[in-house]
Amino acid sequence: MTTFLPFTAADVASAVEWVLSEEAPVEILGHGSKRGIGRPAQYEHAIDLSAMSGVTLYEPEELVLSAKAGTPIADIEHLLAQNSQQLAFEPMDCSRLLGHDTRGGKGGTIGGAISTNLSGPRRLKAGAARDHILGVTVVSGRGETFKSGGRVVKNVTGYDLSKLMTGAWGTLGVLTDLTVKVLPAAETETTLAIRGLDDETATAAMALAMGSSAEVSGAAHLPYGVTERVASDLRGADAATLLRVEGFGPSVASRVETLKTLLANAGRIEELTDRGSRELWREVRDCTPFADGTARPVWRVSMTPSEAHKMVLALRMEAGADAFYDWQGGLVWLRMEGEPEADLVRRLVRQFGGGHATLVRASSAWRAAVPVFEPQPAALAALSARLKAEFDPKNILNPGRLAAGVDSATLAQATEEKTS
Amino acid sequence: MTGLAMPKPDSETMRRRDDIVADLARIVPGEGVVDAVNEMRAFESDGLTAYRQLPLVVVLPETVAQVSSILKYCNDRNIRVVPRGSGTSLSGGALPLEDAVLLVMSRFNRIIEIDFPNRCVVAQPGVTNLGISVAVQDEGFYYAPDPSSQIACSIGGNVAENSGGVHCLKYGLTANNVLGIEMVLMDGEVIRLGGKHLDSGGYDLLGVMNGSEGLLGVVTEVTVRILKKPDTARALLIGFPTSEQGGQCVADIIGAGIIPGGMEMMDRPAIKAAEDFLHAGYPLDVEALLIVELDGPKVEVDHLIDLVEKIAHRNGQTTCRISTSEEERLAFWAGRKAAFPAVGRISPDYYCMDGTIPRKELPKVLAGMRELSEQYGLAVANVFHAGDGNLHPLILYDANKPGELDKAEAFGADILRLCVKVGGVLTGEHGVGVEKRDLMGEMFNQIDLDQQMRVKCAFDPNHLLNPGKVFPQLRRCAELGRMHVSGGKLPFPSIPRF
Ligand SMILES: Cc1cc2nc3c(=O)[nH]c(=O)nc-3n(C[C@H](O)[C@H](O)[C@H](O)COP(=O)(O)OP(=O)(O)OC[C@H]3O[C@@H](n4cnc5c(N)ncnc54)[C@H](O)[C@@H]3O)c2cc1C
C-alpha cells in the first residue's frame, strides 16, 4: 500500500503513471469526508490530494476563483465571505451525517465538492456544482494531463469536460486544479416557516411559492417530528415548510410580503432572519436531522417535485422510513428503520415519475450488497462504461466505487453484446 | 478558412446514392425525403452563409423511431450524417457534407407537456426557442435563455450549441436551464438523460451534450426549466467617454453584488450604425454605451437603479438615462437588438465573431482590435455582452471584392487569438463548427484535443456524426485508445508517500 501525497499537478501525473504501470487500483481522496459514500472497494494505493492546497486566482469583479483541488472548502468560503461572495451551489458537508472525523473539522475539499456534485438547497434556483464549474486540469487514468474549459463564464469551445468531471466521483481522472464561478452573497435573508402542513399540502405550497415571482432560493419541508432534530429557532414538533428569500434588504422585505399574502391561508407562518435562517439551511443542506451517529441507511433521492411525497407515502406502506424534503419537495432524504430496501425504493421512484436514488449512508456490508448509485438502463450503462474506458482504460481510478456497472468487466460484457 | 478542408467524400456512399434515397424513403414515407437539387438548395448553408454545400440527401423524420432507424441504417453502412435544427448556426455547425445525409429535425415541432407545478416544459427539439416562452406566457412564465435568433432557432439546436442570450448573465446558458433530454446515438440506441428531477444520475452526459454541436447524438426531446416573469424590468442607458470607464463601471456594478438581468455594451461604430438606422436617441459623442437592465420586484429594481446610477456617476458617465416606462425600456434595447442589421446596412457584408475575454482586458482587446483594423484595412464595430465578457466584433467587408472575405476571416482569426492570449476563449456561444475548427490549437494542446475526441469515440466510434466540425483533425479511435505506459519505477522519489 502506497499513499501518495502530491504537492503539484506533475506529482499527481507521475503517481498515476506509476499506479498505471502496476495496474493496481488507486483511491483518490481529499479530506476523505465522503469516503463512506459508494461501493466499498479494495484499493491497493491512494492519492491523497490534501497537500495540494491554495487559491491560485481570485478576481471578485470577474466572479471567478481558481484553486488547487485539495483546497479546503472552508478556506474558500472564508475568502469569498470577505468579499461578500459565495459558492452559490452550497456544497454539502457530509462529515456529520457520515460521522467521519475530517481533518481539523474542515468539511472537505473543493475537489471533493466538485467530484461529487452534492449541492445544497440553493441548487433549486442557482444550479448545482456542475453549473458553476468553469475549467479543470485533470490527470486522466492514462496518466496524461489535460485541461478543459477556461476562466470565463461564457465558453462553448470544445466539449464541456469540466461538467463531465463534476459528479464523476474521481473515476475518470484526478482533478488537480479547477476554476469556478462565484457569485455575490445575499445582503440579507429571511425564511418563512409555515407550520403544520402535511407532505402533500406542503408540496403544493412550495410549488406555489416557486411559481411566484418571489425568487425563493430554498424550499424545504420538515415533516412532524423532524423539526425537533434541527438545532434551530423552530419551536415545537409541528411540521415546518421552509421558504428562503435572499437579496437586498428592501427586496427581501417586499418578496416576503408577497409570499405571506400568497400563502395567507396555508397555515401559521413564522419568520427566521439572518443567522437563524442561515443555520437552519445549513442543517437542511447537511442532512443534520439524520446525523444521528448511527449507520442506519440514508437515501438521497432526486425526483419530480410533485411526485416525491407520493413515493414516500407508498414506501411507508411497506417499510419504516423517516423523510424530509428539499428542492421544492424533489429532493427526498430518507432514513430507513431497518434495511435499505433498495429494490423497493427504486421501484417506487420509477413508478412515481423516475429520478435517481443514492444510498449515501449504510454499513459497508449493505453498500457492497446493493447498488449505492442508481443503476442505469443497459444502453446508458454501456455508454458510461465506454466513456470510463476512454478516460481510464486500465480501470485504476476509484474502480467499482460508482457502480459495479462502470468498470472494465461490464465494459467487456457490453462490447461482447455489441459484437455478438 | 476559405480553403476549408472537409473530410474526403466517401466514393462508395456517393455511388450508392439512389439506393440510399430509396431506403430512406422507406423509413420516412411521404414527404420526408428531399433529393431534388433545386429543393435541397434551401439547406445548403446555415447562418454562416459564406459556406455552401449540397448534401447527399435531406431527410425530415417525424418520430423517434424513424430517427433511430435512420441512424442505425447509416451506421451499419458507414454513411455520414449531419443533424440540423433551424439552420441558424453562425459557425457552420449544420453545414452539409457532399456525402452525408442531412437529418433535419424541423418536423419535431410539438410541445409535449407544460407542467407548471414543476416549472418545466417538455418539447420536441424542432420547437423554436421563442415558441416555448409563448406557450407559457399566459400564465406569466418564460424560458430564460434568449438568443437573438429566438424566433427561428430550435431548442434542439440550442442544446447542441449551448446557446446564450442577453439574459444569461443572471439566468444562465442553455446548459443551466435544460433538465433533461432524450437522444439517439449513432447506432440507433435511444437514451434519456435527466428529466423533471434535478441532476441526472451517473456521469453528467447531459452537461457534455450541451454544446456538443451535433457530434455525439441527435436530440429528440428536451425538458427545460421555465421561470416566472419578473414583476418589473427597468433599464439604464449610460454613455462613457472611454471604454475603460465603461468597463470599470461594469466591474463596479458586479463588485457591488449586483447581477443585472442584462448588461450590454456597444462601441462608437456600433452606436453610430444603430442610431443612423433607428434613431433610438443614442448619444453619438461617447466611446462606450452601456445598457443595464434590472429586473425583479419593483422595490428591488428601484433600489438597484439608484445604486447603478451612482456607480455610473463615479465612473464619469457623460449621459445617463433611466427608463420610466416599458416603451422607453424597449427603446433603449431597440438599437442594441438591431445592431446586426444596422451594421448590415452600412456594409455589404459583415462577419460576426464571438470570443470571450476576462472583462478587465476589454480596453486592451479593443485597442488591439483597432490596430488590426488598420492593418487589415477593414472596419469593425463591437457589441458586447459586457457582464460575462462575451464580445461580438462585427467585421465589415464586401464579399464581391476579390480577397476581402479571406481578409475578413484572417482578421477574425487574429481577434480570437487575441482573446485567447488575454485569458479568454474562442467562442462564448456560437460554437466552433467549421468556422473556428482550425483555431482549436490556439486554446488546446494535442493531449486536450485527443481527450475530447475520445469522448466522441465513446458516442460515435466511427466518426459518422457531423464529421469535419469542431476538431481540426480527426484521429481514428483505435489510434486514440493506444496507451504508452512507461516503466515500473516509482516516480519522483520526492513525493511523500507512506
Ligand atoms: C441573427 C442571428 C442571431 C443569433 N444570436 C445568437 C445569440 O444571441 N446567442 C447565441 O447563442 N446564438 C445566436 N445565434 C446562433 C444560433 O441561432 C444558435 O446557435 C442556435 O442555437 C442554433 O439553433 P438551430 O436550430 O438553428 O441549429 P442549427 O443551426 O440547425 O444547428 C446548429 C448545430 O446543432 C446541431 N443540431 C441541431 N439540431 C440538433 C438536434 N436535434 N440534435 C443534435 N444536434 C443538433 C447541428 O448539427 C449543428 O451542429 C444567432 C444566429 C443568427 C442567425
Side-chain angles (χ1 to χ4, degrees):
Chain A
M1 168 93 191
T2 304
T3 296
F4 292 92
L5 193 65
F7 290 109
T8 66
D11 289 351
V12 175
S14 45
V16 171
E17 254 176 60
W18 180 78
V19 171
L20 202 49
S21 68
E22 296 278 296
E23 293 200 27
V26 60
E27 180 183 15
I28 314 300
L29 74 157
H31 288 161
S33 69
K34 304 173 182 76
R35 224 172 178 181
I37 308 182
R39 277 177 81 244
Q42 291 298 319
Y43 303 113
E44 280 178 41
H45 308 290
I47 299 179
D48 174 338
L49 294 158
S50 59
M52 291 205 9
S53 177
V55 169
T56 50
L57 175 144
Y58 175 36
E59 293 179 2
E61 289 167 358
E62 305 267 343
L63 304 175
V64 60
L65 178 143
S66 305
K68 296 185 197 168
T71 313
I73 284 280
D75 290 4
I76 291 179
E77 291 189 327
H78 180 71
L79 175 65
L80 291 172
Q82 289 173 347
N83 288 280
S84 306
Q85 293 192 331
Q86 63 181 358
L87 296 170
F89 58 93
E90 290 187 283
M92 178 185 178
D93 178 353
C94 298
S95 43
R96 265 202 284 172
L97 177 65
L98 301 181
H100 284 315
D101 170 32
T102 63
R103 294 182 198 163
K106 288 185 171 168
T109 62
I110 183 76
I114 294 299
S115 296
T116 55
N117 196 32
L118 289 173
S119 317
R122 207 182 291 106
R123 196 275 169 250
L124 187 58
K125 175 165 184 280
R130 57 87 86 171
D131 294 293
H132 295 82
I133 186 85
L134 299 177
V136 291
T137 306
V138 182
V139 178
S140 73
R142 303 171 54 87
E144 294 167 345
T145 305
F146 69 88
K147 62 181 180 307
S148 172
R151 52 149 296 182
V152 292
V153 294
K154 217 160 156 198
N155 176 13
V156 295
T157 323
Y159 298 138
D160 196 341
L161 303 189
S162 312
K163 283 204 178 70
L164 186 61
M165 297 307 299
T166 309
W169 291 82
T171 61
L172 297 180
V174 188
L175 288 169
T176 61
D177 297 273
L178 35 89
T179 300
V180 290
K181 174 180 171 180
V182 297
L183 283 170
E187 190 178 274
T188 173
E189 68 178 76
T190 295
T191 295
L192 295 183
I194 313 167
R195 304 304 301 264
L197 306 187
D198 61 29
D199 293 6
E200 186 180 355
T201 319
T203 302
M206 288 189 283
L208 192 63
M210 290 308 300
S212 78
S213 55
E215 294 190 38
V216 173
S217 70
H221 175 63
L222 310 181
Y224 182 86
V226 176
T227 35
E228 287 181 317
R229 279 184 259 130
V230 290
S232 76
D233 302 350
L234 288 177
R235 258 177 275 280
D238 280 355
T241 308
L242 310 173
L243 300 169
R244 177 174 64 183
V245 178
E246 298 175 292
F248 292 95
S251 170
V252 169
S254 129
R255 285 182 284 146
V256 161
E257 285 315 308
T258 306
L259 282 177
K260 280 187 181 164
T261 315
L262 192 67
L263 298 162
N265 300 324
R268 178 165 55 89
I269 299 182
E270 291 165 14
E271 256 180 68
L272 288 83
T273 49
D274 294 311
R275 193 190 171 86
S277 170
R278 274 199 299 278
E279 275 168 8
L280 181 57
W281 286 103
R282 197 173 309 127
E283 294 186 286
V284 171
R285 181 192 77 182
D286 295 344
C287 192
T288 310
F290 297 158
D292 51 10
T294 75
R296 275 197 278 172
V298 171
W299 289 97
R300 184 180 188 264
V301 188
S302 179
M303 300 178 65
T304 307
S306 63
E307 304 306 297
H309 70 95
K310 300 177 195 164
M311 181 277 288
V312 172
L313 189 66
L315 176 67
R316 286 191 173 138
M317 304 289 198
E318 300 186 48
D322 221 351
F324 76 93
Y325 306 83
D326 195 357
W327 298 356
Q328 191 189 325
L331 184 74
V332 192
W333 289 99
L334 291 172
R335 183 182 60 184
M336 310 302 290
E337 262 163 36
E339 302 183 351
E341 306 284 359
D343 290 344
L344 175 63
V345 169
R346 289 190 165 123
R347 175 166 59 73
L348 292 173
V349 170
R350 276 195 302 278
Q351 184 181 328
F352 290 99
H356 51 94
T358 310
L359 185 58
V360 287
R361 188 180 74 187
S363 66
S364 55
W366 272 119
R367 285 184 286 120
V370 303
V372 168
F373 294 92
E374 186 72 31
Q376 299 181 321
L380 182 53
L383 176 60
S384 300
R386 292 199 295 276
L387 205 62
K388 162 81 170 163
E390 294 291 350
F391 281 79
D392 180 20
K394 300 277 185 200
N395 199 26
I396 53 164
L397 304 177
N398 283 350
R401 176 163 189 185
L402 259 190
V406 188
D407 63 22
S408 328
T410 334
L411 175 69
Q413 204 187 334
T415 335
E416 240 165 61
E417 278 164 17
K418 278 226 122 123
T419 44
S420 61
Chain B
M1 190 180 75
T2 338
L4 192 70
M6 294 307 281
K8 207 167 126 263
D10 181 57
S11 53
E12 177 61 16
T13 303
M14 303 292 291
R15 199 177 54 72
R16 292 202 332 252
R17 179 171 188 261
D18 290 348
D19 293 345
I20 295 169
V21 170
D23 289 342
L24 289 176
R26 266 191 291 279
I27 298 174
V28 187
E31 310 278 279
V33 175
V34 175
D35 67 328
V37 167
N38 60 337
E39 288 172 41
M40 293 202 301
R41 286 260 176 255
F43 301 97
E44 69 180 355
S45 77
D46 57 16
L48 186 69
T49 48
Y51 294 88
R52 287 167 199 284
Q53 171 64 55
L54 281 177
L56 183 74
V57 52
V58 179
V59 58
L60 299 104
E62 258 179 324
T63 67
V64 180
Q66 289 171 354
V67 174
S68 170
S69 300
I70 295 167
L71 291 181
K72 182 163 179 7
Y73 170 87
C74 293
N75 199 45
D76 291 348
R77 288 159 190 78
N78 238 2
I79 302 167
R80 291 168 173 154
V81 176
V82 175
R84 176 181 163 115
S86 304
T88 65
S89 166
L90 290 173
S91 54
L95 178 69
L97 299 172
E98 198 181 344
D99 65 340
V101 172
L102 189 71
L103 182 69
V104 180
M105 297 301 287
S106 55
R107 287 162 90 190
F108 278 79
N109 57 4
R110 273 190 318 113
I111 290 193
I112 296 167
E113 191 193 348
I114 298 174
D115 180 346
F116 289 115
N118 295 305
R119 292 178 301 128
C120 58
V121 168
V122 184
Q124 290 188 327
V127 172
T128 62
N129 171 292
L130 188 62
I132 294 177
S133 287
V134 168
V136 296
Q137 70 184 9
D138 287 349
E139 300 280 329
F141 283 82
Y142 75 116
Y143 172 62
D146 54 345
S148 319
S149 51
Q150 68 179 161
I151 52 166
C153 64
S154 71
I155 191 69
N158 288 177
V159 171
E161 299 284 10
N162 190 12
S163 300
V166 295
H167 283 102
C168 286
L169 176 63
K170 183 166 174 185
Y171 298 102
L173 304 162
T174 302
N176 313 112
N177 289 275
V178 168
L179 299 173
I181 59 172
E182 177 194 69
M183 64 183 274
V184 186
L185 297 174
M186 190 64 210
D187 63 7
E189 290 274 14
V190 181
I191 60 174
R192 288 190 157 267
L193 305 172
K196 289 185 183 177
H197 54 277
L198 294 176
D199 301 334
S200 48
Y203 294 138
D204 190 4
L205 302 181
L206 185 56
V208 177
M209 279 303 293
N210 275 282
S212 62
E213 305 197 20
L215 271 74
L216 300 182
V218 174
V219 177
T220 48
E221 187 189 291
V222 187
T223 303
V224 298
R225 165 70 76 226
I226 49 170
L227 298 176
K228 187 78 174 193
K229 274 197 201 124
D231 293 342
T232 32
R234 287 173 73 191
L236 299 99
L237 188 72
I238 315 165
F240 296 95
T242 65
S243 63
E244 279 84 350
Q245 285 161 295
Q248 192 55 47
C249 183
V250 170
D252 290 351
I253 290 171
I254 289 178
I258 305 169
I259 304 290
M263 185 145 60
E264 297 288 307
M265 200 151 123
M266 297 164 77
D267 71 356
R268 186 191 272 272
I271 302 166
K272 180 156 188 337
E275 184 58 21
D276 288 351
F277 182 37
L278 278 185
H279 311 291
Y282 284 2
L284 291 171
D285 56 349
V286 298
E287 282 302 321
L289 187 65
L290 193 62
I291 304 175
V292 182
E293 177 162 300
L294 299 151
D295 60 6
K298 188 173 175 312
V299 281
E300 171 171 332
V301 172
D302 293 348
H303 175 70
L304 296 183
I305 288 264
D306 274 357
L307 290 183
V308 171
E309 190 185 9
K310 289 196 184 95
I311 293 170
H313 193 75
R314 270 209 307 277
N315 280 292
Q317 49 87 359
T318 48
T319 143
C320 179
R321 289 166 54 198
I322 299 171
S323 72
T324 51
S325 66
E326 192 56 9
E327 294 74 58
E328 204 172 359
R329 181 182 73 88
L330 294 174
F332 289 0
W333 277 109
R336 165 62 184 90
K337 294 211 159 154
F340 288 20
V343 167
R345 226 173 53 109
I346 56 171
S347 167
D349 299 282
Y350 68 90
Y351 179 35
C352 174
M353 309 305 297
D354 172 48
T356 305
I357 55 170
R359 258 186 290 102
K360 61 172 185 197
E361 304 290 354
L362 180 67
K364 193 198 276 179
V365 172
L366 287 180
M369 252 190 257
R370 272 193 297 272
E371 260 170 47
L372 288 167
S373 166
E374 266 171 40
Q375 185 187 320
Y376 282 99
L378 295 175
V380 60
N382 270 289
V383 295
F384 185 43
H385 300 304
D388 43 32
N390 187 198
L391 272 175
H392 290 316
L394 304 171
I395 299 172
L396 280 48
Y397 73 100
D398 182 352
N400 286 327
K401 287 196 193 143
E404 275 225 337
L405 173 61
D406 287 350
K407 243 197 323 188
E409 287 178 349
F411 184 4
D414 278 347
I415 293 177
L416 295 183
R417 285 190 188 99
L418 181 60
C419 290
V420 173
K421 207 169 105 192
V422 301
V425 299
L426 294 174
T427 171
E429 57 181 14
H430 293 169
V432 177
V434 294
E435 186 205 19
K436 287 151 233 147
R437 186 191 74 183
D438 297 339
L439 290 171
M440 286 287 271
E442 299 286 333
M443 234 179 103
F444 298 112
N445 65 25
Q446 197 57 44
I447 293 177
D448 304 335
L449 287 173
D450 283 354
Q451 197 54 49
Q452 292 191 31
M453 275 187 271
R454 288 191 192 100
V455 171
K456 167 80 168 163
C457 294
F459 283 80
D460 170 27
N462 300 318
H463 290 312
L464 292 174
L465 208 49
N466 218 3
K469 319 289 171 69
V470 182
F471 298 110
Q473 171 215 3
L474 275 188
R475 298 183 56 199
R476 293 176 149 282
C477 290
E479 188 190 325
L480 285 165
R482 249 172 244 145
M483 291 250 291
H484 312 278
V485 181
S486 55
K489 272 182 293 168
L490 267 177
F492 287 77
S494 62
I495 310 175
R497 58 177 76 85
F498 38 83

